[in-house]
Amino acid sequence: MSLSINDVFKVAQLARLEMTEQAAQTAHVQLLNIFGLIAEMQAVDTSGIEPMSHAQDITQRLREDVITEHNQREIFQAAAPHIKKGLYLVPQVIE
Amino acid sequence: MQWEIVIGLEVHAQLSTSSKIFSGASNAFGAEPNTQASAVDLALPGVLPVLNRGAVERAIKFGLAVGAHITPRSVFSRKNYFYPDLPKGYQISQFDLPIIGQGSLTIQVPTTAAGQTYKKIVRLTRAHLEEDAGKSLHEDFQGMTGIDLNRAGTPLLEIVSEPDMRSATEAVSYAKMLHTLVRWIGICDGNMQEGSFRCDANVSVRRPGAELGTRREIKNLNSFRFLQQAIEYEAQWQIDTLENGGTIHQATVLFDSDKGETRAMRSKEDAHDYRYFPDPDLLPLAIDNEWIEQVRDTLPELPLSKQARYVADLGLSSYDADTLTSSREMADFFEATLNEAPNEAKLCANWLMGDVSASLNREDRDITQCPITPRQLGGVLKRIADGTISNAAAKEVFKLLWSEGGNPDAIIETKGLKQMSDVGAMEAMVDEIISANPTQVAEYRSGKEKVFGYFVGLAMKASKGKANPAQMNEILKRKLAD
Amino acid sequence: MFKSSLLQLGAALRSKKISSVELTQLYLDRIAEHNSKLNAYITVNEEMSLMQARAADVQLAQSTTHALTGIPIAQKDIFCAKDWRTTCGSKMLSNFIAPYDAHVIEQFNRVGAINLGKTNMDEFAMGSSNETSYFGTVKNPWNLDAVPGGSSGGSAAAVSASLCAAATGTDTGGSIRQPAALCGISGMKPTYGVVSRYGMIAFASSLDQAGPMAHSAEDLALLLNVMAGFDERDSTSLQRETEDYTRDLNKPLIGLRIGLPKEFFAEGLSNDVAQAIEASISEYKKLGASVVDISLPSSRLSIPVYYVLAPAEASSNLSRYDGVRYGYRAPEYTNLADMYQKSRAQGFGEEVKRRIMIGAYVLSHGYYDAYYLQAQKIRRLIAQDFVEAFKQCDVIMGPTTPTTAFNLGEKKDTPVQMYLSDIYTIAVNLAGLPGMSIPAGFGGNGLPIGLQIIGNYFDEARMLNVAHQYQQVTDWHTRTPQYLKV
Ligand SMILES: [Mg+2]
Ligand SMILES: [Zn+2]
């Protein structure tokens, strides 16, 4: 399954990255090289092997259901690009 | 030729925890915008999720209530997509290994015949924990949308059914039963206006016996009425489309409650590729039997078992039993009243479903706001049962308790509502009536039975309505006979 | 003063030979003098550092203080530090003032250490040469034409050039060990979960681990004592007895079994590095250690596996940078989709975008099993290799990098070549094991060479002992770059 230029555009769209035709060409070449490097992995027989998602084989610790965070809106919104009436503003969302 | 409508429901129930599912921010509804959005809820750089034990406990409760398998080792995954109300650019949800496996829910579906219902078992595919998104506010920001992230991170239990429902009515009965259940076991406040309980309906149509048709998903139905209307409209639309030679394409649609129509969502047009993968920030969630049993001990008696008990042990009709278990509060009120007037189940049921419900409706209150306590109501019923007061008097006592409160026996006493049961006194009255009405007595004795009612009238009048009617009739009959 | 160990600095502060304010000012002046050449720091804030120093002097005047009280530490710009600009080396966060402290920062503040500044790094820690930083490349103090390594290149250069007493780094595929090796300093990546990731900007969550970077193993032990510890805000933070990582420093090494994986000495390894490593192994034999030949057969797959798993996690971790709540938003856009695409395309650099695309691709419909799932399975095979290996030895040793520092620009446009420079370090992250690099000589070009020491899970104290004993009989770690007048 060799990666096509269309895959590059599709993935850029999935990742919300604006991609010019020329940038896509460059990316395509580099991604093909990288997937060439990765290909080595796919020959390996891994039947019966449990996938490893975490570095340790332990289970999750839980938090007690208590409120520990309080309003810091002013501090957090100091970093916001566009605010109105305490809301984060973005271009119209179409549903 | 016939069409069969096939419906499966996905219900999102907000869990009634005090803090959010992955952060320590408050989960309360209705705060000022973004005042309950913590660093974790805002997805600031470097912050991490930590799972709320209360959310897991509520999920286990639900699993037990629907007799489902509870996964000993479930996994949280990331569902990746971009949307302004989704701060991380992914929703933490469960995919491969949900916390709750297959279960089932028994529902009562009303038929066109009044009061008639039929039983149906709806299979549950799964239920999983996930986080809610924020809210997009489209009003008055000329061309802009405002984002409030207070709701982001609210714990959700997404309950997925099999496509087992065959009509909008069945779907609504299922949704109502689920709504009753989550409130019954105390995991969700069920407030649909606030979005605490939201339904997505997957609707398709097919010829009976044929393969499942292509489904369209109606999103975010937050009232039972809209659920009914949306499904009916959508199903008809699909039937018309097919009958006009068209084809149905899988789509996500919204219900426009003003127009009463469904329309495809523009934002969902591009096919999604959510790139689910196990969340590396969250280790597998382990639930051992010990924990499950601890939760089981906190589970109240469920509606179905109460219904069965009311019918078998209390001799109520299944209709009465269903009505009395329509909410946990109603059932609790019924049982508390029954404690005051033991062995008077039917009387309790009649009064609760009659005078009490009527009065509550009139002032549109629910049972939790009933001005009369089970103790007071039970007190009244006790006196009806032991013959101290007549039904008419009981209604009077009830009215007074409703408006002024107080103690039933005291009211009966001060208002002198006791029935007369002094046989001697009643015989004296009857003797007087007989001697004062020779003509009518003669008619009666000559066989004009219907004159009897006339004597009853006089007798009750003489006793100022306090005479025990049965007793008085017996005396009249006896005296008129000789 | 700039050659002093942390213990010596601590002693000088406690004996009032120097105040924390004076010491901090000395370093700030040195930064002012040399940083323009090295570009090791992204942000320096004299006022905030000196304010901390004044507070430290008050503490020092009182009785009980911590070994690191008053000592100036450079912080990799990946750690959020309250009221400090925290950029992660990216245009995306070039104006982001952190509203809270990372756990690591809190720990240093708690003991009264001084935050001397935020060090340069590859953008979002994605790189092995520090050339992907939005704030410009860092120079290797040993040769200004060479790279310092990455992604913690700023910290490595700062320690190497004595622009701080010590520094912090993070290591996802070698980002502490590789720059430590290329800059001739000591650096350690602890066992995954030993140091909380809270407030440390995520690259690949299941691999990221913070660690100390300093002149010596002894310094590393003192720093790790502060950095390590349970944190309830990180679900992967481990609840363990607190340990004193200095406790075993002086144990003799008699009987130590050193495993040498044949895969680490195969082709691709340059001669000068090979010779330096062999020389240090003989030093260890003199110290009483014995050598065992071992094999890590699956380790050859660690680069392919890493370049599937790390980008997959990164593509998702970096989705939060959308220009809605904080960070860079494109100046012009036509609608919401356009705002996302432009903000992210302009806010992220080429390498970051490349990895986001790799990650989105390997997770996307139809490719998940062939790439992501397969990589996770091989990750287990790689981890199992180490379990087997540690049945035969106490520590594993080998080169940290195949060559000494390459030149700036040399591999910039050939990602695959760049990726291969982490060939010996990545397997350790995949397994979650602790690993470190210490100075072990110089190459033909006069650039430093690093010896990598890999330990079993939670064996940091022993690894530090092994490194410290070597540093008692060698002086590689005391060498300083010629051009700097110290
Ligand atoms: Mg609610
Ligand atoms: Zn959902």
Side-chain angles (χ1 to χ4, degrees), chain B residues 22 34 39-51 73 77-90 95-96 144-145 147 149 272-283, chain C residues 80 93 96 99-100 192 196-202 204-206 232-236 312-313 315-322 324-326 329 333 336 340 344 359-361 363-365 368 372 376:
Chain B
F22 295 117
N34 292 306
V40 170
D41 307 317
L42 291 170
L44 291 186
V47 295
L48 296 165
V50 185
L51 182 56
R73 220 179 136 92
S77 293
R78 293 181 178 183
K79 180 182 184 179
N80 295 282
Y81 67 95
F82 287 89
Y83 208 71
D85 65 14
L86 189 72
K88 293 187 294 302
Y90 58 84
F95 187 51
D96 293 342
M144 304 287 275
T145 293
I147 307 295
L149 296 170
H272 271 148
D273 184 346
Y274 290 123
R275 289 156 289 142
Y276 280 98
F277 73 104
D279 191 329
D281 289 328
L282 294 164
L283 299 160
Chain C
C80 288
L93 293 175
F96 181 71
Y100 67 96
Y192 183 91
S196 168
R197 294 182 297 116
Y198 184 82
M200 179 180 117
I201 297 175
S205 312
S206 78
E232 60 183 11
R233 297 166 300 183
D234 174 0
S235 296
T236 61
E313 293 184 17
S315 67
S316 178
N317 283 336
L318 271 60
S319 293
R320 68 187 55 199
Y321 307 107
D322 56 10
V324 173
R325 301 163 313 285
Y326 56 84
R329 180 186 287 198
Y333 42 82
L336 181 65
Y340 275 127
R344 289 168 59 79
Y361 183 72
L363 288 175
S364 65
H365 185 69
Y368 182 86
Y372 187 77
Q376 279 197 323

Side-chain angles (χ1 to χ4, degrees), chain B residues 303-367:
Chain B
L304 271 184
S305 106
K306 273 195 196 292
Q307 286 168 22
R309 193 160 55 79
Y310 292 177
V311 173
D313 307 355
L314 304 179
L316 297 182
S317 73
S318 64
Y319 176 80
D320 289 1
D322 288 347
T323 317
L324 291 173
T325 53
S326 60
S327 81
R328 189 170 162 190
E329 293 72 23
M330 176 58 107
D332 291 346
F333 196 102
F334 169 69
E335 290 180 19
T337 310
L338 196 54
N339 278 336
E340 298 297 317
N343 317 327
E344 298 303 330
K346 183 62 188 164
L347 194 60
C348 286
N350 293 345
W351 274 75
L352 272 178
M353 294 159 62
D355 294 68
V356 174
S357 298
S359 315
L360 288 173
N361 291 340
R362 196 169 48 243
E363 305 181 9
D364 81 279
R365 305 165 172 236
D366 65 47
I367 191 72

Side-chain angles (χ1 to χ4, degrees), chain C residues 29-63:
Chain C
D29 295 346
R30 191 172 167 83
I31 292 168
E33 182 185 354
H34 293 289
N35 194 54
S36 53
K37 286 196 270 327
L38 297 175
N39 197 27
Y41 285 85
I42 290 174
T43 302
V44 176
N45 186 321
E46 298 224 352
E47 291 67 36
M48 284 207 272
S49 298
L50 289 169
M51 190 170 63
Q52 275 188 304
R54 281 190 289 275
D57 282 326
V58 174
Q59 281 184 54
L60 286 159
Q62 294 148 5
S63 55

Side-chain angles (χ1 to χ4, degrees), chain B residues 14 189 194 196:
Chain B
Q14 289 182 336
D189 66 20
E194 293 179 4
S196 299

